[in-house]
Structure formats: C-alpha cells, structure tokens
C-alpha cells in the first residue's frame, strides 16, 4: 500500500488544504492528515479541536484518515508506514521555508520523500491566518473553508 502523510498545523483546515488532499488521493492509496500538536504557533483551536474539525471536513473523501502527532514528523511518517510527505506549494514565498523543511527532514531520515502539489489558482494566496483575520473583521469567507469549519470558527471567534 502506497501511503502518504499530509502534515500541518491545520488551524483550521481550509479549502486550499482540501484541494491538495483531493489531488493527493489520486496518487496514493491512503493519505493521512497529520495534525501537528506543537508547531510553535499560537493556535486558535487546540489539538483535539483541530483534529475533529479536519475529520468533519474530509468525511466524504475516500482514502483519507486524520491523526495527530507530537515530535518529529519523519518519525510519525515511519510509524504510519508512509514513505512520502505531501506539502502544498502556493507561491514563491513558500519555497525557502519548504526547502529548509525538506533538507532537514532528509537529514533526519533519508527514506522519506517530500512531494509538492500546487493548489488550484483560487487558493494560491489562501492561508489559515488570512481566513481567521477576515472572519474576525466580519468579512465574507464563503468558498474558502468547509461548512463545519465555518461553524466552528463562528463559535470560537464571534
Ligand atoms: N491552502 C491554504 N493554506 C495553506 C496551504 C494550502 N494549500 N498550504 C499551506 N497553507 C498555509 C497554512 O494555512 C498555514 O497558514 P498560517 O501560517 O496562516 O497558519 C501555512 O500555510 C503553513 O502551514 P502548514 O502547512 O500547516 O505548515 P506549518 O508550517 O504550520 O507546519 C509542519 C509544518 C507541521 C509540517 C512542521 O512544523 C513539522 O513538521 N513540525 C514537527 C517537527 C518537525 O519534525 N520539524 C521538521 C524538522 S525542522
């Protein structure tokens, strides 16, 4: 079985992440969303909330599982029998940070490959922070996040 993990903070998951995920399941037999417990970010949602919100958002996508991890992402990949990590590459601004992650992860475990997928045009400049900011300011975020994410954000923010 060809398994990949899709790691991130997912605070919260957006339609941009889901777009990447849908592309990934066309390539892999199983894709595990790996919600990072600790990423140094001051998150709006705690780890259980982030995980549950992800599960609700992907419940209709076959071949996807949701899990959380603490510690090194390469160790989590090994534990899940995944030899590939999926990352989304949105714009050139993502490149340098992603390069650092790939090189460090490669040094930590040479057997784990990272594959970058490009989001569709409409999600190129989408980020979780942007969605949170716009909602806090009362702006419209229609089409940018799944329905269950919007509900969870309204409960938390408004
Ligand atoms: N659509 C919309 N937004 C996207 C996106 C897409 N396709 N792809 C990335 N993003 C956004 C995210 O929403 C997030 O936005 P934010 O900063 O506004 O919240 C940003 O891009 C990057 O977030 P994410 O992809 O979740 O990555 P991250 O940098 O938060 O986390 C980990 C990266 C979890 C993979 C990394 O920190 C990690 O592996 N941590 C574990 C420790 C470890 O092993 N480190 C590696 C060695 S240094």
């Amino acid at each position: 079985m060809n398994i990949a993990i899709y790691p991130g903070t997912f605070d919260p998951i957006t339609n941009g992440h889901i777009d990447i995920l849908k592309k990934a399941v066309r390539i892999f037999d199983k894709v595990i969303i790996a919600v990072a417990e600790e990423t140094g970010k001051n998150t709006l949602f705690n780890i259980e909330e982030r995980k549950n919100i992800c599960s609700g958002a992907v419940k209709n996508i076959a071949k996807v599982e949701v899990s959380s991890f603490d510690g090194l992402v390469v160790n989590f990949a090994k534990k899940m029998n995944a030899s590939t990590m999926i990352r989304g590459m949105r714009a050139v601004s993502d490149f340098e940070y992603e390069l650092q992650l790939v090189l460090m992860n490669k040094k930590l475990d040479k057997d784990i490959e990272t594959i970058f997928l490009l989001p569709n045009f409409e999600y190129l400049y989408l980020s979780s922070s942007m969605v949170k900011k716009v909602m806090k300011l009362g702006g419209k975020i229609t089409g940018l996040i799944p329905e269950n994410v919007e509900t969870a954000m309204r409960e938390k923010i408004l």
Side-chain angles (χ1 to χ4, degrees):
M1 210 186 196
N2 208 354
I3 303 171
I5 63 162
Y6 180 25
T9 309
F10 300 106
D11 184 47
I13 189 166
T14 68
N15 284 346
H17 295 120
I18 289 176
D19 174 53
I20 297 287
L21 203 58
K22 284 181 175 166
K23 295 179 199 303
V25 292
R26 294 210 291 264
I27 306 170
F28 294 92
D29 299 315
K30 181 161 92 177
V31 179
I32 302 167
I33 296 184
V35 186
E37 288 191 19
E38 182 51 61
T39 55
K41 287 183 179 175
N42 193 6
T43 58
L44 175 68
F45 295 103
N46 67 34
I47 181 62
E48 277 312 307
E49 291 170 327
R50 283 183 279 136
K51 211 173 117 184
N52 290 339
I53 292 169
C54 281
S55 299
V58 303
K59 66 176 192 295
N60 294 325
I61 309 176
K63 304 199 286 182
V64 174
E65 281 179 17
V66 181
S67 190
S68 57
F69 75 100
D70 201 8
L72 291 174
V73 68
V74 287
N75 291 348
F76 179 75
K78 268 261 158 73
K79 196 172 123 194
M80 295 290 117
N81 291 320
S83 54
T84 310
M85 213 181 300
I86 307 285
R87 294 286 289 167
M89 181 75 81
R90 291 163 301 170
V92 179
S93 50
D94 280 346
F95 183 77
E96 211 160 333
Y97 170 62
E98 293 297 337
L99 188 64
Q100 281 178 26
L101 277 187
V102 175
L103 294 176
M104 182 51 78
N105 284 332
K106 202 69 190 164
K107 186 154 180 56
L108 293 167
D109 191 328
K110 64 176 176 28
D111 295 331
I112 311 280
E113 290 301 336
T114 301
I115 287 187
F116 291 100
L117 295 173
L118 300 186
N120 283 351
F121 185 74
E122 66 261 44
Y123 305 124
L124 265 188
Y125 287 96
L126 181 59
S127 75
S128 300
S129 314
M130 190 81 89
V131 166
K132 284 181 280 192
K133 259 186 223 156
V134 172
M135 187 176 256
K136 271 184 192 151
L137 297 172
K140 265 185 127 184
I141 43 166
T142 318
L144 300 181
I145 48 174
E147 226 172 276
N148 75 307
V149 180
E150 186 163 349
T151 306
M153 283 181 75
R154 284 196 185 285
E155 280 169 13
K156 194 67 133 181
I157 293 178
L158 303 179

